[in-house]
Amino acid sequence: MGQRLRRRSALVTGAGRGIGRAVALALAREGANVLVCDLGVAMDGTGSDQGPAEDTAGECRKLGVEASAYSADVSDFKATEEMVRACVSRFGSLDILCNIAGILRPRMIFNMSEEDFDRVLAVHLKGTWNLCRHACAVMRQQRYGRIVNCTSEAYAGTVGHSNYAAAKGGIVSLTYDVAREMGRYGVTCNAFAPRARTRLSVGDDQDQGLQKRMEAGLISEERLQGMEETRREGADPEHFAPFVAYLASDAAANVNGCVFVASRATIGVWNHPAIIHKFTRDWEIEEPWSIAELEKRVPSELLSEYVNPAPAKA
Ligand SMILES: NC(=O)c1ccc[n+]([C@@H]2O[C@H](COP(=O)([O-])OP(=O)(O)OC[C@H]3O[C@@H](n4cnc5c(N)ncnc54)[C@H](O)[C@@H]3O)[C@@H](O)[C@H]2O)c1
């Protein structure tokens, strides 16, 4: 048992299973008290079961900290306000917030229902915003806080997950924003993209999905191999959960607004989006850009090293 998070109070969503559970335990191992929040839903977000949250809370208590299970839906604004209030009234503060709850509803965009889009956005993006919103009100008063959001490498673009990719991209932007709004109050906000073997990432459905996409020419064999390598590199999230505990600790007081990747084998940091090539003009005296000029300059001056990720097929 470490002492780095002693007397800290943590709220972890999605803590009943997979990565959230490993993170809750890693925080508890460093002495944090934990509110274990999880609705206990199926992979697609349906159903509910208090069992997983109760189980994780029990495992945390075995480590000698205080822990309670809390069953509520992160997409519900009022319910998340209650969740934050429950943490403060149970432990006296809310020092660490880890937004990890998530679901999947993969379909190609032309087959995706509005409900599948809305639900995935509601759980990931709205859920993360809800908890940041309520936690930041408390953390601002405390002048202390650590927020760790969970994104995915899918945020940089994938296939068959337009809802999920959009939600995870939104979480990256939200993280950049919260970091800048809250840094002055002693609150940091970072995100990590995990690679782990959990029910969301490994299973017959996922294997068949990848195989089908390759057969349909949507991903190359090379890309499929790369994804399989990523999945092999992934492991029990216990391997990298200590990284989240590190982000929640005093040692990371000056780490704010970063997006990391975390797996058994790799901890990496993504670059912040930046303009890499540009051309400019004197807009006060020159005419608007002409299409003829753009046809010439965009390929040669902006996109000379660019490769289209999905060129048209005959
Ligand atoms: N497994 C991976 O390799 C991987 C890769 C990238 C991102 N992620 C992200 O990691 C996070 C955790 O995923 P996991 O792989 O551990 O999956 P998981 O299914 O094992 O755990 C997710 C947990 O979130 C809970 N949950 C879902 N919707 C909820 C809601 N509305 N309210 C409260 N709780 C809810 C579920 O009950 C479940 O216990 C997700 O945000 C996922 O998108 C996972």
Side-chain angles (χ1 to χ4, degrees):
M1 279 285 291
Q3 299 288 311
R4 289 176 181 82
L5 304 176
R6 216 171 123 243
R7 287 195 280 272
R8 297 289 183 208
S9 312
L11 188 168
V12 184
T13 75
R17 291 196 191 89
I19 296 163
R21 176 186 163 92
V23 164
L25 289 167
L27 300 178
R29 255 177 225 116
E30 286 298 329
N33 297 323
V34 189
L35 193 69
V36 175
C37 301
D38 201 298
L39 199 53
V41 297
M43 254 168 54
D44 66 357
T46 53
S48 73
D49 176 5
Q50 290 187 12
E54 299 283 1
D55 186 65
T56 305
E59 291 301 310
C60 289
R61 286 194 293 271
K62 283 187 200 159
L63 295 166
V65 299
E66 291 179 48
S68 301
Y70 196 98
S71 179
D73 183 350
V74 295
S75 70
D76 182 327
F77 185 72
K78 280 267 162 244
T80 50
E81 187 173 23
E82 283 304 316
M83 209 184 268
V84 165
R85 208 172 282 148
C87 184
V88 174
S89 70
R90 171 86 167 82
F91 304 127
S93 63
L94 168 54
D95 306 306
I96 301 161
L97 166 67
C98 300
N99 283 304
I100 302 188
I103 61 168
L104 275 186
R105 292 194 182 182
R107 298 290 290 213
M108 293 300 285
I109 189 162
F110 39 79
N111 289 326
M112 189 175 285
S113 69
E114 184 183 10
E115 206 232 321
D116 285 350
F117 179 82
D118 287 347
R119 192 62 202 142
V120 168
L121 268 285
V123 173
H124 288 276
L125 183 54
K126 175 92 185 295
T128 301
W129 181 83
N130 280 343
L131 278 145
C132 286
R133 158 70 183 83
H134 299 306
C136 282
V138 172
M139 290 174 172
R140 178 169 171 244
Q141 294 296 322
Q142 290 175 173
R143 299 192 84 81
Y144 183 90
R146 297 279 181 274
I147 300 174
V148 184
N149 294 329
C150 186
T151 182
S152 157
E153 290 169 279
Y155 99 88
T158 182
V159 173
H161 288 278
S162 56
N163 48 3
Y164 184 73
K168 291 305 199 186
I171 287 172
V172 168
S173 302
L174 172 65
T175 300
Y176 290 146
D177 184 279
V178 173
R180 282 156 182 78
E181 288 190 33
M182 295 301 292
R184 74 190 67 182
Y185 302 112
V187 178
T188 66
C189 183
N190 296 289
F192 74 108
R195 291 175 188 163
R197 285 178 178 276
T198 67
R199 64 176 189 162
L200 280 196
S201 61
V202 180
D204 290 348
D205 282 0
Q206 290 86 334
D207 284 345
Q208 279 166 17
L210 284 176
Q211 191 63 35
K212 270 199 265 33
R213 280 177 229 162
M214 194 195 79
E215 282 161 14
L218 293 165
I219 52 174
S220 64
E221 198 168 347
E222 197 186 0
R223 178 101 199 273
L224 179 70
Q225 275 167 8
M227 284 169 155
E228 279 170 352
E229 257 169 51
T230 299
R231 289 159 45 137
R232 274 202 301 279
E233 191 193 305
D236 186 322
E238 262 195 35
H239 285 271
F240 59 80
F243 177 63
V244 178
Y246 158 75
L247 289 177
S249 73
D250 288 346
N254 217 22
V255 180
N256 191 23
C258 294
V259 179
F260 298 94
V261 62
S263 76
R264 168 165 61 172
T266 308
I267 304 288
V269 64
W270 285 78
N271 62 354
H272 193 272
I275 294 171
I276 48 171
H277 303 297
K278 66 179 175 184
F279 50 77
T280 57
R281 69 202 335 260
D282 188 342
W283 55 270
E284 281 183 299
I285 53 170
E286 289 184 63
E287 292 296 308
W289 300 107
S290 77
I291 295 180
E293 181 185 9
L294 294 171
E295 282 170 348
K296 207 166 135 236
R297 297 186 71 182
V298 170
S300 63
E301 294 181 46
L302 296 191
L303 302 179
S304 57
E305 298 139 31
Y306 160 82
V307 179
N308 179 350
K313 295 216 181 244

